[in-house]
Amino acid sequence: MVERGSGVAVWRQIGELLADDIRNKLYAAGEQLPPEPELAAKFSVNRHTIRRAMGELEQSGLVRIEQGRGTFVQEHAIDYAIGKRTRFSENLRSQGMLGYIDVLGSQSVRAAEIARQLGLSRSAGLLRVQSLGKTENRCVDVSEHYLDEKRFPDFADNLRKLRSISRTYVHYGIADYTRKWSRITAALPTPEVARLLGQPKTRPILNVESLNVDRDGAPLQYSVTRFVGDWVQLVVADESA
């Protein structure tokens, strides 16, 4: 238990004790830790002390804190393959997880550089679709997808119903598509992205820009996807194999 007057802050001692319990598998990956009142009673401290210990565990990547739900042991990182055919649902299904997409919103926009990437005129109308890539109760990524507004009318509505980009493309007669290129960087999230991903804004994310094309090589979709940095491992496939 904690030792007062030891020279080590009580909240830090509690954090180390809980960290040891997690490393020793007393709590399984994904398991919820006891609520703050229960831990406060166990260690004979106030809830503020427990909250500070939990914040330290979150910063170290051992737990994740979900507002309104509680604190959970961080799961092991998932392998997310990026290659010629990058598919969100298939990536998760291969690891025994059910993946799906939730649409947050959509807007008509003008963006000259993105229009150029899509092979359109600088003033062409684009559809921007914001989405969350999710599995079970976890958010894996936050994305912005840009498409030709004329070519894909009502794309956001169809994606909202089908919850899969691949299935939504089939709706428009596109049976297959490939990834032309991906650009991967590390960055700090904005407060909103951190909130949606359920992570501290001081923890880096993996930022992936990409361009998908159809069978004829015509651009379909420019995307910016922000992955949870400590839960997703990006695996770049060797297409020459």
Side-chain angles (χ1 to χ4, degrees):
M1 300 299 288
V2 297
E3 297 180 16
R4 289 169 172 79
S6 66
V8 179
V10 170
W11 64 266
R12 190 176 297 279
Q13 292 182 58
I14 293 172
E16 290 173 353
L17 289 168
L18 291 172
D20 286 342
D21 287 347
I22 292 170
R23 295 188 184 102
N24 291 328
K25 311 299 182 185
L26 270 67
Y27 298 105
E31 183 177 351
Q32 185 174 5
L33 294 182
E36 286 181 2
E38 183 177 332
L39 289 173
K42 175 181 178 180
F43 293 107
S44 300
V45 297
N46 59 42
R47 293 177 65 176
H48 175 76
T49 301
I50 296 298
R51 197 168 296 127
R52 188 166 184 185
M54 290 300 190
E56 186 73 7
L57 290 176
E58 184 181 34
Q59 288 293 332
S60 66
L62 286 175
V63 304
R64 68 177 190 278
I65 299 173
E66 298 185 7
Q67 296 299 321
R69 295 192 66 232
T71 302
F72 299 81
V73 177
Q74 188 66 279
E75 295 93 336
H76 301 299
I78 61 172
D79 289 334
Y80 192 93
I82 292 183
K84 187 175 182 180
R85 284 181 171 78
T86 301
R87 304 290 189 266
F88 179 79
S89 298
E90 291 179 12
N91 268 328
L92 296 177
R93 189 182 305 118
S94 68
Q95 296 172 77
M97 302 177 185
L98 177 63
Y100 58 93
I101 291 176
D102 277 349
V103 174
L104 293 176
S106 63
Q107 305 85 30
S108 296
V109 298
R110 296 284 194 280
E113 177 56 27
I114 295 176
R116 184 185 69 81
Q117 296 284 357
L118 292 173
L120 305 172
S121 68
R122 294 173 58 87
S123 60
L126 306 176
L127 177 66
R128 178 174 63 192
V129 181
Q130 296 105 343
S131 68
L132 298 179
K134 303 179 76 174
T135 177
E136 301 167 358
N137 294 319
R138 284 223 57 186
C139 183
V140 178
D141 68 62
V142 177
S143 298
E144 292 180 358
H145 309 290
Y146 295 85
L147 307 101
D148 181 353
E149 193 171 30
K150 290 183 178 180
R151 186 177 183 184
F152 299 105
D154 303 319
F155 189 92
D157 291 337
N158 289 313
L159 179 58
R160 188 175 283 111
K161 296 173 186 175
L162 297 171
R163 310 187 89 178
S164 162
I165 287 179
S166 297
R167 290 198 294 270
T168 302
Y169 275 138
V170 171
H171 176 81
Y172 292 92
I174 299 170
D176 192 22
Y177 63 96
T178 56
R179 178 71 59 90
K180 184 174 182 180
W181 56 260
S182 298
R183 182 181 297 116
I184 305 170
T185 56
L188 288 175
T190 65
E192 177 63 8
V193 168
R195 183 186 69 81
L196 291 170
L197 291 176
Q199 70 165 61
K201 58 179 179 290
T202 55
R203 186 180 301 158
I205 58 172
L206 296 173
N207 193 77
V208 179
E209 296 177 70
S210 60
L211 183 69
N212 288 337
V213 298
D214 63 20
R215 284 177 171 172
D216 297 324
L220 287 175
Q221 167 192 322
Y222 169 85
S223 296
V224 179
T225 303
R226 302 167 180 91
F227 291 95
V228 180
D230 60 358
W231 196 52
V232 175
Q233 296 180 146
L234 299 179
V235 179
V236 180
D238 181 0
E239 301 297 344
S240 64

